[in-house]
Amino acid sequence: MTRALDVEKIRKEFPMLTSRMNGQTLVYLDNAATTQKPSAVIDRMNRFYRQEYATIHRGVYTFSQLSTEECDASRERVRAFLNAAKTQEIIFTRGATEAINLVARSYAAKFLKSGDEILICETEHHSNIVPWQAIAKEKGLVLKVAPVDDRGEIDLEEFQKMLGARTYLVAVGHVSNALGTVHPIEEIVKRAHHAGVVVLVDGAQAVPHMKVDVQALDCDFYCFSGHKLYGPTGIGVLYGKEKYLEAMDPYQFGGDMIETVGFDKTTYAKLPAKFEAGTPAIVEIVGLVPAIDMLEKIGWDAIHQYEQELLEYATTELQKIPGLRIIGTAKEKAAVISFVLDGVHPHDIGTVLDQLGIAIRAGHHCAYPTMKRFGVAATARVSFAFYNTFEEIDKLVKGLQKVGEIFG
Ligand code: C6P
């Protein structure tokens, strides 16, 4: 087995990985929920608060102008990261959730009419279900759901059949947070576009694991959260093709998003300000840059290869545990493993592992319909980052053996 990365060197960049939990060195396996932060991000935000901080866009003084320049540079950095065609196609939001709500409110609510259909997939996170459901209820739209097979892979034939004459929007997760399935986004976009349908991709679980090129994917909207990308919380990104963003109206109103305001009439600012009402998360915007720099410095090929090695090793080892069943066995997966253990509630698995210093997620993972599809109420989920090690997987396996002994 090759080792694509110098993991010990990388781990030194993540202070939280030396923390102890319940007297044990932390084994952090909840990276799909949120990732730990490298010193480069922590230090950049610290330095910015201590020495550079001021509001943006409003000040004539030097620090305000410098802060504005830093935020502009961050937007350009994100543009390059996603290979978007234009900087104004990058909208800063609070996270993936807010980005999807923005498209639901500003695109679907404006352009879809009663009886029109929105098509999603069965493995969506609640953030890519509930905003559409809410808008569907208000506007009389129909929410349709493309099924997945027993491995957790989207049924493309069914998806194709469900793209009807009234379908105007497809909203689909790139990678399932509950199962790890990497959905064939290029193919989904191709088929949707062939039917004249606009596509939003929820990339929250994809951007930490793979190079995303929105022009190559040709999706119309793409979103992610900074905190799953080794960056700060409270910052996310909506990419949208300029022609759609131009045609959409803002859904939040206030300072910074206007051009002129009178009591009788207000005109809106140009992109991207039109969708960024109020003072933004300035320091978080700045903190996103070192996270992206770090990922690109390590390199996507190395990250992908190493994480796939972790996934393969963990899958093999977990399958040896009596009574353990993996939920989600797609051919193409990100480094996420959901599983159930005969006769043991996932929360009990999580609690025993916690005592051993191992952090995993247990529950429905904000994906109730996915749980229902696989006939379980909840799963235990381990999700890896490139700073995890094979030794940590061995500790997980030992921990699960202990769970078996306690509840067996
Ligand atoms: N999934 C998980 O443990 P926010 O909360 O806006 O940063 O991200 C929401 C979101 C949207 N889409 C997908 C595919 C996601 O996985 C998430 C967040 C976390 O799986 C928290 S439930």
Short mmCIF file of all heavy atoms in Angstrom, two decimals, residues 30-34 94-100 123-128 173-178 202-206 223-228 235 361 365-367 381 383, ligand 1:
data_model
loop_
_atom_site.label_atom_id
_atom_site.label_comp_id
_atom_site.label_asym_id
_atom_site.label_seq_id
_atom_site.Cartn_x
_atom_site.Cartn_y
_atom_site.Cartn_z
N ASP A 30 -15.29 12.50 12.68
CA ASP A 30 -16.59 13.14 12.37
C ASP A 30 -16.39 14.28 11.39
O ASP A 30 -16.97 15.36 11.52
CB ASP A 30 -17.25 13.63 13.67
CG ASP A 30 -18.73 13.93 13.48
OD1 ASP A 30 -19.31 13.46 12.47
OD2 ASP A 30 -19.31 14.65 14.31
N ASN A 31 -15.57 14.03 10.39
CA ASN A 31 -15.19 15.09 9.46
C ASN A 31 -16.29 15.49 8.49
O ASN A 31 -16.25 16.58 7.92
CB ASN A 31 -13.94 14.66 8.68
CG ASN A 31 -12.75 14.53 9.62
OD1 ASN A 31 -12.21 15.53 10.07
ND2 ASN A 31 -12.37 13.29 9.96
N ALA A 32 -17.29 14.62 8.30
CA ALA A 32 -18.40 15.01 7.43
C ALA A 32 -19.29 16.04 8.13
O ALA A 32 -19.99 16.81 7.48
CB ALA A 32 -19.23 13.78 7.04
N ALA A 33 -19.25 16.03 9.47
CA ALA A 33 -20.02 17.04 10.22
C ALA A 33 -19.29 18.37 10.15
O ALA A 33 -19.85 19.40 9.78
CB ALA A 33 -20.20 16.60 11.66
N THR A 34 -18.02 18.34 10.52
CA THR A 34 -17.18 19.53 10.39
C THR A 34 -15.73 19.09 10.51
O THR A 34 -15.44 18.09 11.19
CB THR A 34 -17.55 20.59 11.45
OG1 THR A 34 -17.00 21.85 11.07
CG2 THR A 34 -17.09 20.23 12.86
N ARG A 94 -23.94 32.07 4.62
CA ARG A 94 -23.51 31.51 5.91
C ARG A 94 -23.07 30.06 5.78
O ARG A 94 -22.42 29.52 6.65
CB ARG A 94 -24.66 31.59 6.93
CG ARG A 94 -24.80 32.98 7.55
CD ARG A 94 -25.68 32.92 8.77
NE ARG A 94 -27.00 32.40 8.45
CZ ARG A 94 -27.57 31.39 9.09
NH1 ARG A 94 -26.97 30.78 10.08
NH2 ARG A 94 -28.77 30.97 8.74
N GLY A 95 -23.50 29.41 4.72
CA GLY A 95 -23.15 28.00 4.54
C GLY A 95 -23.96 27.42 3.40
O GLY A 95 -24.69 28.15 2.70
N ALA A 96 -23.85 26.10 3.21
CA ALA A 96 -24.60 25.43 2.14
C ALA A 96 -26.10 25.61 2.35
O ALA A 96 -26.85 25.84 1.39
CB ALA A 96 -24.23 23.95 2.12
N THR A 97 -26.54 25.53 3.60
CA THR A 97 -27.97 25.64 3.89
C THR A 97 -28.51 26.98 3.40
O THR A 97 -29.55 27.03 2.72
CB THR A 97 -28.21 25.51 5.42
OG1 THR A 97 -27.68 24.25 5.83
CG2 THR A 97 -29.68 25.60 5.75
N GLU A 98 -27.81 28.05 3.75
CA GLU A 98 -28.31 29.36 3.33
C GLU A 98 -28.26 29.52 1.82
O GLU A 98 -29.12 30.15 1.21
CB GLU A 98 -27.51 30.49 4.01
CG GLU A 98 -28.18 31.83 3.81
CD GLU A 98 -27.45 32.97 4.52
OE1 GLU A 98 -26.34 33.31 4.13
OE2 GLU A 98 -28.02 33.51 5.48
N ALA A 99 -27.25 28.92 1.20
CA ALA A 99 -27.12 29.01 -0.26
C ALA A 99 -28.32 28.34 -0.95
O ALA A 99 -28.89 28.88 -1.91
CB ALA A 99 -25.82 28.34 -0.71
N ILE A 100 -28.73 27.19 -0.44
CA ILE A 100 -29.87 26.50 -1.06
C ILE A 100 -31.16 27.29 -0.82
O ILE A 100 -31.99 27.45 -1.72
CB ILE A 100 -29.98 25.05 -0.51
CG1 ILE A 100 -28.72 24.26 -0.91
CG2 ILE A 100 -31.23 24.36 -1.05
CD1 ILE A 100 -28.55 22.91 -0.21
N THR A 123 -31.32 10.57 -1.49
CA THR A 123 -30.28 10.64 -0.44
C THR A 123 -29.95 12.07 -0.02
O THR A 123 -28.89 12.32 0.55
CB THR A 123 -28.98 9.97 -0.94
OG1 THR A 123 -28.59 10.60 -2.16
CG2 THR A 123 -29.14 8.49 -1.14
N GLU A 124 -30.84 13.00 -0.29
CA GLU A 124 -30.50 14.40 0.06
C GLU A 124 -30.44 14.61 1.57
O GLU A 124 -31.18 14.00 2.34
CB GLU A 124 -31.54 15.38 -0.52
CG GLU A 124 -31.71 15.36 -2.02
CD GLU A 124 -30.43 15.48 -2.80
OE1 GLU A 124 -29.47 16.09 -2.30
OE2 GLU A 124 -30.38 14.92 -3.91
N HIS A 125 -29.57 15.54 1.94
CA HIS A 125 -29.56 16.10 3.30
C HIS A 125 -30.82 16.96 3.45
O HIS A 125 -31.33 17.50 2.47
CB HIS A 125 -28.30 16.98 3.41
CG HIS A 125 -28.06 17.57 4.75
ND1 HIS A 125 -28.66 18.73 5.17
CD2 HIS A 125 -27.27 17.17 5.78
CE1 HIS A 125 -28.24 19.03 6.40
NE2 HIS A 125 -27.39 18.09 6.78
N HIS A 126 -31.31 17.11 4.67
CA HIS A 126 -32.52 17.91 4.89
C HIS A 126 -32.41 19.31 4.29
O HIS A 126 -33.41 19.89 3.86
CB HIS A 126 -32.82 18.03 6.39
CG HIS A 126 -33.16 16.70 7.03
ND1 HIS A 126 -33.18 16.51 8.39
CD2 HIS A 126 -33.47 15.50 6.48
CE1 HIS A 126 -33.49 15.25 8.65
NE2 HIS A 126 -33.67 14.62 7.51
N SER A 127 -31.18 19.84 4.26
CA SER A 127 -30.98 21.19 3.70
C SER A 127 -31.31 21.25 2.21
O SER A 127 -31.52 22.33 1.66
CB SER A 127 -29.52 21.63 3.86
OG SER A 127 -29.23 21.86 5.20
N ASN A 128 -31.30 20.10 1.55
CA ASN A 128 -31.65 20.07 0.13
C ASN A 128 -33.01 19.41 -0.09
O ASN A 128 -33.32 18.95 -1.18
CB ASN A 128 -30.55 19.36 -0.67
CG ASN A 128 -30.58 19.73 -2.15
OD1 ASN A 128 -31.03 20.82 -2.52
ND2 ASN A 128 -30.13 18.82 -2.99
N GLY A 173 -27.49 16.36 -4.36
CA GLY A 173 -26.24 16.37 -3.62
C GLY A 173 -25.14 15.70 -4.43
O GLY A 173 -25.36 14.65 -5.04
N HIS A 174 -23.95 16.28 -4.42
CA HIS A 174 -22.82 15.69 -5.16
C HIS A 174 -22.37 14.41 -4.46
O HIS A 174 -22.18 13.38 -5.09
CB HIS A 174 -21.68 16.72 -5.19
CG HIS A 174 -20.62 16.44 -6.20
ND1 HIS A 174 -19.75 17.39 -6.64
CD2 HIS A 174 -20.27 15.29 -6.84
CE1 HIS A 174 -18.92 16.85 -7.51
NE2 HIS A 174 -19.21 15.58 -7.64
N VAL A 175 -22.23 14.51 -3.11
CA VAL A 175 -21.85 13.35 -2.29
C VAL A 175 -22.85 13.24 -1.14
O VAL A 175 -23.12 14.23 -0.46
CB VAL A 175 -20.42 13.52 -1.73
CG1 VAL A 175 -20.09 12.42 -0.72
CG2 VAL A 175 -19.38 13.52 -2.85
N SER A 176 -23.37 12.03 -0.92
CA SER A 176 -24.33 11.82 0.17
C SER A 176 -23.60 11.86 1.52
O SER A 176 -22.63 11.13 1.72
CB SER A 176 -25.03 10.47 -0.01
OG SER A 176 -25.46 9.98 1.24
N ASN A 177 -24.11 12.68 2.44
CA ASN A 177 -23.44 12.78 3.75
C ASN A 177 -23.68 11.54 4.60
O ASN A 177 -22.86 11.19 5.43
CB ASN A 177 -23.93 14.02 4.51
CG ASN A 177 -25.35 13.89 5.00
OD1 ASN A 177 -26.23 13.45 4.25
ND2 ASN A 177 -25.59 14.24 6.25
N ALA A 178 -24.79 10.86 4.36
CA ALA A 178 -25.12 9.71 5.20
C ALA A 178 -24.49 8.42 4.69
O ALA A 178 -24.21 7.51 5.47
CB ALA A 178 -26.63 9.55 5.29
N ASP A 202 -25.62 20.43 -4.48
CA ASP A 202 -25.20 20.64 -3.09
C ASP A 202 -23.85 19.95 -2.93
O ASP A 202 -23.76 18.73 -2.82
CB ASP A 202 -26.26 20.03 -2.16
CG ASP A 202 -25.80 20.00 -0.71
OD1 ASP A 202 -24.70 20.49 -0.41
OD2 ASP A 202 -26.56 19.45 0.12
N GLY A 203 -22.80 20.76 -2.90
CA GLY A 203 -21.45 20.20 -2.86
C GLY A 203 -20.83 20.14 -1.47
O GLY A 203 -19.60 19.95 -1.35
N ALA A 204 -21.66 20.27 -0.44
CA ALA A 204 -21.13 20.36 0.93
C ALA A 204 -20.18 19.21 1.27
O ALA A 204 -19.16 19.42 1.93
CB ALA A 204 -22.28 20.40 1.94
N GLN A 205 -20.51 17.99 0.80
CA GLN A 205 -19.66 16.83 1.13
C GLN A 205 -18.67 16.48 0.04
O GLN A 205 -17.92 15.52 0.17
CB GLN A 205 -20.55 15.60 1.41
CG GLN A 205 -21.45 15.75 2.62
CD GLN A 205 -20.68 15.80 3.94
OE1 GLN A 205 -19.50 15.45 4.02
NE2 GLN A 205 -21.35 16.23 4.99
N ALA A 206 -18.68 17.25 -1.05
CA ALA A 206 -17.77 16.93 -2.16
C ALA A 206 -16.50 17.77 -2.11
O ALA A 206 -15.40 17.24 -2.27
CB ALA A 206 -18.49 17.14 -3.50
N CYS A 223 -23.00 24.77 -4.32
CA CYS A 223 -22.79 25.42 -3.02
C CYS A 223 -22.00 24.53 -2.07
O CYS A 223 -21.96 23.31 -2.23
CB CYS A 223 -24.13 25.80 -2.40
SG CYS A 223 -25.17 24.41 -2.02
N PHE A 224 -21.36 25.18 -1.09
CA PHE A 224 -20.65 24.44 -0.05
C PHE A 224 -20.50 25.28 1.20
O PHE A 224 -20.79 26.49 1.19
CB PHE A 224 -19.29 23.93 -0.57
CG PHE A 224 -18.25 24.98 -0.82
CD1 PHE A 224 -17.42 25.42 0.21
CD2 PHE A 224 -18.08 25.53 -2.08
CE1 PHE A 224 -16.44 26.38 -0.02
CE2 PHE A 224 -17.11 26.51 -2.33
CZ PHE A 224 -16.29 26.93 -1.28
N SER A 225 -20.06 24.64 2.28
CA SER A 225 -19.84 25.32 3.57
C SER A 225 -18.35 25.35 3.88
O SER A 225 -17.67 24.33 3.74
CB SER A 225 -20.53 24.54 4.70
OG SER A 225 -21.92 24.53 4.51
N GLY A 226 -17.86 26.48 4.36
CA GLY A 226 -16.44 26.61 4.68
C GLY A 226 -15.98 25.68 5.79
O GLY A 226 -14.86 25.17 5.76
N HIS A 227 -16.85 25.43 6.76
CA HIS A 227 -16.39 24.66 7.94
C HIS A 227 -16.15 23.19 7.64
O HIS A 227 -15.50 22.49 8.42
CB HIS A 227 -17.39 24.82 9.10
CG HIS A 227 -18.69 24.12 8.89
ND1 HIS A 227 -18.94 22.85 9.39
CD2 HIS A 227 -19.82 24.48 8.24
CE1 HIS A 227 -20.17 22.49 9.05
NE2 HIS A 227 -20.72 23.45 8.36
N LYS A 228 -16.68 22.67 6.52
CA LYS A 228 -16.40 21.28 6.15
C LYS A 228 -15.14 21.21 5.28
O LYS A 228 -14.71 20.14 4.87
CB LYS A 228 -17.58 20.68 5.39
CG LYS A 228 -18.84 20.50 6.25
CD LYS A 228 -19.92 19.80 5.47
CE LYS A 228 -21.29 19.97 6.04
NZ LYS A 228 -21.58 19.21 7.25
N ILE A 235 -19.43 30.68 7.21
CA ILE A 235 -19.16 31.16 5.85
C ILE A 235 -19.37 30.03 4.86
O ILE A 235 -18.96 28.90 5.10
CB ILE A 235 -17.73 31.77 5.71
CG1 ILE A 235 -17.51 32.37 4.31
CG2 ILE A 235 -16.65 30.76 6.04
CD1 ILE A 235 -18.31 33.61 4.05
N ARG A 361 -20.14 10.18 14.53
CA ARG A 361 -21.52 10.67 14.60
C ARG A 361 -22.48 9.50 14.63
O ARG A 361 -22.28 8.51 13.91
CB ARG A 361 -21.83 11.58 13.40
CG ARG A 361 -23.21 12.19 13.54
CD ARG A 361 -23.45 13.40 12.69
NE ARG A 361 -24.86 13.77 12.85
CZ ARG A 361 -25.50 14.65 12.12
NH1 ARG A 361 -24.86 15.28 11.16
NH2 ARG A 361 -26.77 14.91 12.34
N HIS A 365 -28.31 11.77 10.79
CA HIS A 365 -27.42 12.58 9.94
C HIS A 365 -28.17 13.62 9.11
O HIS A 365 -27.75 13.94 7.99
CB HIS A 365 -26.57 11.67 9.02
CG HIS A 365 -26.00 10.49 9.74
ND1 HIS A 365 -25.08 10.61 10.76
CD2 HIS A 365 -26.28 9.17 9.63
CE1 HIS A 365 -24.80 9.41 11.23
NE2 HIS A 365 -25.52 8.52 10.58
N CYS A 366 -29.26 14.12 9.64
CA CYS A 366 -30.09 15.09 8.90
C CYS A 366 -30.48 14.52 7.54
O CYS A 366 -30.48 15.24 6.52
CB CYS A 366 -29.39 16.43 8.73
SG CYS A 366 -29.01 17.23 10.29
N ALA A 367 -30.74 13.23 7.51
CA ALA A 367 -31.14 12.57 6.26
C ALA A 367 -32.17 11.49 6.58
O ALA A 367 -31.97 10.31 6.29
CB ALA A 367 -29.91 11.98 5.56
N ARG A 381 -21.72 6.66 12.07
CA ARG A 381 -21.02 7.11 10.86
C ARG A 381 -19.61 7.55 11.19
O ARG A 381 -19.41 8.35 12.11
CB ARG A 381 -21.77 8.28 10.22
CG ARG A 381 -21.14 8.76 8.91
CD ARG A 381 -21.77 10.04 8.41
NE ARG A 381 -21.41 11.18 9.23
CZ ARG A 381 -21.83 12.44 9.04
NH1 ARG A 381 -22.67 12.69 8.06
NH2 ARG A 381 -21.44 13.40 9.83
N SER A 383 -16.30 9.30 9.33
CA SER A 383 -15.96 10.05 8.11
C SER A 383 -14.53 10.56 8.26
O SER A 383 -14.17 11.12 9.29
CB SER A 383 -16.95 11.18 7.90
OG SER A 383 -17.13 11.95 9.07
N1 C6P B 1 -24.07 17.84 7.03
C1 C6P B 1 -23.30 16.12 8.61
O1 C6P B 1 -22.90 15.75 9.71
P1 C6P B 1 -24.39 23.48 6.75
O2 C6P B 1 -25.05 23.06 8.02
O3 C6P B 1 -25.18 24.56 6.04
O4 C6P B 1 -22.96 23.81 6.89
O5 C6P B 1 -24.40 22.19 5.80
C2 C6P B 1 -25.60 21.55 5.54
C3 C6P B 1 -25.40 20.36 4.67
C4 C6P B 1 -25.87 20.39 3.37
N2 C6P B 1 -25.68 19.37 2.54
C5 C6P B 1 -25.01 18.27 2.90
C6 C6P B 1 -24.80 17.17 1.92
C7 C6P B 1 -24.52 18.17 4.22
O6 C6P B 1 -23.86 17.07 4.57
C8 C6P B 1 -24.72 19.22 5.13
C9 C6P B 1 -24.26 19.14 6.55
C10 C6P B 1 -23.55 17.61 8.37
O7 C6P B 1 -23.50 15.34 7.68
C11 C6P B 1 -24.41 18.19 9.44
S1 C6P B 1 -26.02 17.50 9.49
#
